[in-house]
Amino acid sequence: MLGSWPTPLQPADQLSRQLGCRLFFKREDMTGLGGGGNKARKLEFQLGQAIVNGATHIITTGAVQSNHAQLTAAAARKLGLEPHLVLSGQPDDQRRGNLYLDHLMDSELTFVSPPAGRPSLEVINETMVQIAKTITNEGGTPYLIPEGGTDALGTVGYILAVKELVQQISTMQMDAKRILIAVATGTCGTHAGLIAGSSIIPNNFEILGVSVSGNTDIKKAKTARIATETLKLAGYEQTIDEGQVWIEDRFIGSRYADITEACRSAIHLTARSEGIFLDPVYTGKAMAALVHMGQNGQLSRYDAVIFIHTGGLPLLFNYDYAVQ
């Protein structure tokens, strides 16, 4: 296995008092792979397929400070494969955060700045395909993983995460008839997996995805599509429609990775209340949404609130100047 399961489900007593709810953290930041994070569940399936395919090189993409790219490189190294990361943008002069870890693992790096007028992901995917052709011509066998590890194969990992979570709640004998699950959503895979798992495993969850980027209507459609594809791959016939996807989009800021005051405040509050570290791109914004809901009495209607801590600790060492 690439990760250590189950990840802990921990009560957050100090924050609970401040938010007016029974708050728990599902510690997906403690998966035991690389810098930690939710992508390990996806990579278990994707790297498993890569091994079956006889892969020698793993190619994936993300932003310069991508958590997913860093974890993919860690998974590749753990399995004796060569990581090649195609990163969108240009690095700073200093190697910090996830980019430092990418270098530490001796990942092959390609930086891409798409020209104006062309979709960024389209250019990046073309670059990945070209790199794969070069590796093949040199006698290697490449395996491509999409941005964020978001495809049906990887998302199956979060069906298992829902099963794990339901078992933990049962073991803890948590008297909770209505439970809110909150998770940051970027490329939509983890959110889709939670919805897919919840549709086939008996539970009493309401799942909130706190958006960190992009158009909400597009994200709802994408999340529903990926959840449906994941269920089909896992052998189920259920269809998820957009009406089943709950996305909160008021905490993005002006753009992806815009470090808002609400996000900054949530990071400080969580660290000082629980000794748990959030990042300013994903989990900080998800917690900002919960803080807002708690302050407005919206969490008191739930018997329990579970925050999916998707990781991102290395990002704090890149954005430390903005989080102070």
Side-chain angles (χ1 to χ4, degrees):
M1 291 194 301
L2 291 177
S4 300
W5 324 116
T7 56
L9 179 63
Q10 300 174 337
D13 295 336
Q14 310 306 319
L15 266 180
S16 292
R17 282 191 280 271
Q18 296 180 70
L19 301 187
C21 67
R22 294 172 65 201
L23 178 65
F24 297 81
F25 277 73
K26 177 63 170 162
R27 298 295 301 271
E28 296 293 272
D29 57 320
M30 298 175 67
T31 51
L33 177 68
N38 60 317
K39 305 300 184 181
R41 290 192 189 266
K42 301 179 180 183
L43 291 164
E44 288 245 308
F45 287 86
Q46 292 161 331
L47 270 290
Q49 186 62 56
I51 293 295
V52 169
N53 291 2
T56 58
H57 294 69
I58 304 297
I59 307 169
T60 197
T61 185
V64 171
Q65 284 292 330
S66 170
N67 295 318
H68 162 70
Q70 176 259 123
L71 278 169
T72 301
R77 287 304 185 198
K78 185 176 179 67
L79 296 174
L81 306 175
E82 295 292 327
H84 195 132
L85 310 179
V86 180
L87 303 180
S88 176
Q90 295 299 319
D92 295 329
D93 292 336
Q94 293 182 318
R95 297 173 181 174
R96 294 160 55 94
N98 279 315
L99 186 59
Y100 171 74
L101 300 181
D102 296 338
H103 280 281
L104 193 61
M105 291 182 284
D106 196 26
S107 306
E108 187 73 25
L109 303 177
T110 298
F111 296 96
V112 178
S113 295
R118 288 203 66 192
S120 175
L121 193 56
E122 179 181 288
V123 176
I124 288 167
N125 286 340
E126 288 175 0
T127 303
M128 291 173 66
V129 169
Q130 187 55 54
I131 290 169
K133 288 180 180 178
T134 300
I135 290 170
T136 299
N137 291 339
E138 293 174 351
T141 303
Y143 185 87
L144 277 67
I145 296 175
E147 181 187 32
T150 298
D151 61 11
L153 178 61
T155 303
V156 168
Y158 266 87
I159 292 181
L160 298 184
V162 171
K163 181 180 180 181
E164 176 183 298
L165 182 56
V166 168
Q167 290 172 340
Q168 287 177 310
I169 290 170
S170 175
T171 299
M172 294 172 68
Q173 297 182 326
M174 190 188 300
D175 183 19
K177 297 180 176 60
R178 190 180 184 189
I179 299 175
L180 176 67
I181 308 291
V183 64
T185 183
T187 57
C188 307
T190 299
H191 189 192
L194 292 170
I195 292 172
S198 295
S199 74
I200 57 174
I201 298 168
N203 65 84
N204 48 359
F205 298 160
E206 295 178 31
I207 300 171
L208 168 63
V210 180
S211 181
V212 302
S213 63
N215 177 281
T216 299
D217 290 337
I218 293 173
K219 288 178 87 78
K220 283 186 176 182
K222 181 179 180 182
T223 302
R225 174 179 58 79
I226 295 167
T228 299
E229 291 173 354
T230 302
L231 287 167
K232 182 176 181 180
L233 182 63
Y236 296 91
E237 297 300 323
Q238 283 92 331
T239 297
I240 304 300
D241 61 50
E242 294 177 38
Q244 296 170 263
V245 180
W246 179 15
I247 292 180
E248 166 60 72
D249 61 4
R250 291 176 292 171
F251 296 87
I252 298 171
S254 63
R255 64 190 183 284
Y256 174 76
D258 175 25
I259 302 172
T260 65
E261 184 56 41
C263 173
R264 185 183 297 109
S265 177
I267 291 171
H268 284 223
L269 178 65
T270 304
R272 294 167 184 176
S273 300
E274 298 292 339
I276 292 176
F277 305 120
L278 306 180
D279 78 271
V281 180
Y282 297 94
T283 53
K285 292 186 177 180
M287 182 55 71
L290 280 190
V291 170
H292 175 82
M293 293 174 73
Q295 291 173 342
N296 286 277
Q298 295 170 269
L299 299 182
S300 60
R301 71 186 70 166
Y302 297 99
D303 299 305
V305 176
I306 298 176
F307 182 84
I308 308 295
H309 190 336
T310 53
L313 177 62
L315 291 173
L316 277 176
F317 300 100
N318 183 69
Y319 294 105
D320 56 317
Y321 64 91
V323 177
Q324 295 177 4

